[in-house]
Amino acid sequence: ETGVTQSPTHLIKTRGQQVTLRCSSQSGHNTVSWYQQALGQGPQFIFQYYREEENGRGNFPPRFSGLQFPNYSSELNVNALELDDSALYLCASSVDRTANSPLHFGNGTRLTVT
Amino acid sequence: DQQVKQNSPSLSVQEGRISILNCDYTNSMFDYFLWYKKYPAEGPTFLISISSIKDKNEDGRFTVFLNKSAKHLSLHIVPSQPGDSAVYFCAASAMRDAGNNRKLIWGLGTSLAVNP
């Protein structure tokens, strides 16, 4: 069984640029969530995708957008990067969108904005 | 406003002893709670969860206790092992969230060190 994989592992971008982060969900999982974890903080919910549609969103501006594909893999896109976007971005998949199916996380993408 | 609070940034225990990690929450709508463990350079790994209809859930060396009236939960690890050394996050969700989405609210984490 393949777990959640994220790419790239590390990324350095300049303020104002755009970035795309990728996530392959665990086999059999149809729900993907994205979280941002700043240094010394807990993960913050960005949004969730269920069967290719956004199913919930946290307090992030519209320049954070996402996609989920028919194979349930997902992308997180961030436009007009700001210095505060520097963080670890975590993707998690689950069997379904209900609360009692645990999230399985990838190892994250470390984004640095200079 | 931190809805899930882990007031101890770090904890150190001896191998074989009990580790107790604490978590407090403020939102009375939370009805599902989870503990995750995180090693450096890895994503969080699910440990154990508890629904608000229970006050205890046990899985091997890990037990979570929930006190709804105090809005407090704790994770007990017995016996503690050096491999348990990691950051432990408490997270909560409200199952009645619109769209039934999996928005988890996380604490800041507690770094546990188990000394041989």
Side-chain angles (χ1 to χ4, degrees):
Chain A
E1 183 179 81
T2 306
V4 178
T5 58
Q6 293 186 243
S7 62
T9 54
H10 294 84
L11 200 53
I12 299 175
K13 287 286 190 177
T14 304
R15 189 172 50 184
Q17 286 187 313
Q18 178 268 343
V19 69
T20 297
L21 310 181
R22 295 180 174 83
C23 172
S24 294
S25 59
Q26 187 163 320
S27 176
H29 289 187
N30 61 20
T31 303
V32 172
S33 304
W34 285 91
Y35 286 80
Q36 180 196 65
Q37 186 178 15
L39 201 60
Q41 303 292 314
Q44 299 287 318
F45 177 74
I46 302 176
F47 42 54
Q48 175 183 271
Y49 279 82
Y50 171 69
R51 293 187 175 179
E52 303 178 58
E53 292 191 359
E54 188 178 291
N55 181 233
R57 190 178 183 92
N59 294 326
F60 282 81
R63 58 189 185 84
F64 285 78
S65 62
L67 283 173
Q68 187 181 30
F69 300 100
N71 65 355
Y72 302 130
S73 66
S74 178
E75 285 182 357
L76 164 65
N77 299 291
V78 188
N79 293 322
L81 283 167
E82 301 177 359
L83 296 179
D84 284 349
D85 296 333
S86 295
L88 179 68
Y89 288 85
L90 294 163
C91 169
S93 70
S94 55
V95 170
D96 59 44
R97 58 180 178 168
T98 60
N100 57 0
S101 59
L103 299 176
H104 297 257
F105 283 86
N107 290 337
T109 294
R110 173 72 62 188
L111 173 64
T112 302
V113 182
T114 61
Chain B
D1 179 30
Q2 197 73 22
Q3 296 186 64
V4 176
K5 301 176 185 178
Q6 294 177 256
N7 291 321
S8 297
S10 62
L11 176 68
S12 182
V13 299
Q14 285 298 118
E15 181 178 6
R17 307 294 287 269
I18 184 171
S19 294
I20 300 176
L21 297 104
N22 294 304
C23 178
D24 297 292
Y25 62 96
T26 58
N27 189 339
S28 58
M29 295 299 290
F30 289 150
D31 51 13
Y32 194 70
F33 305 89
L34 309 92
W35 284 94
Y36 281 82
K37 176 172 73 172
K38 187 178 186 300
Y39 294 118
E42 294 185 11
T45 302
F46 170 73
L47 267 180
I48 192 168
S49 63
I50 188 167
S51 162
S52 59
I53 62 173
K54 296 185 175 182
D55 55 17
K56 177 182 174 181
N57 190 24
E58 190 172 354
D59 184 1
R61 297 186 298 114
F62 302 92
T63 302
V64 56
F65 295 92
L66 175 62
N67 182 334
K68 281 182 292 183
S69 61
K71 292 191 179 69
H72 176 83
L73 63 156
S74 60
L75 174 67
H76 293 210
I77 306 174
V78 183
S80 301
Q81 299 173 354
D84 296 330
S85 297
V87 177
Y88 288 77
F89 288 97
C90 171
S93 71
M95 293 176 70
R96 300 182 196 88
D97 268 350
N100 198 24
N101 69 71
R102 289 302 314 280
K103 178 179 179 180
L104 289 181
I105 307 299
W106 297 66
L108 298 182
T110 295
S111 180
L112 173 66
V114 180
N115 305 307

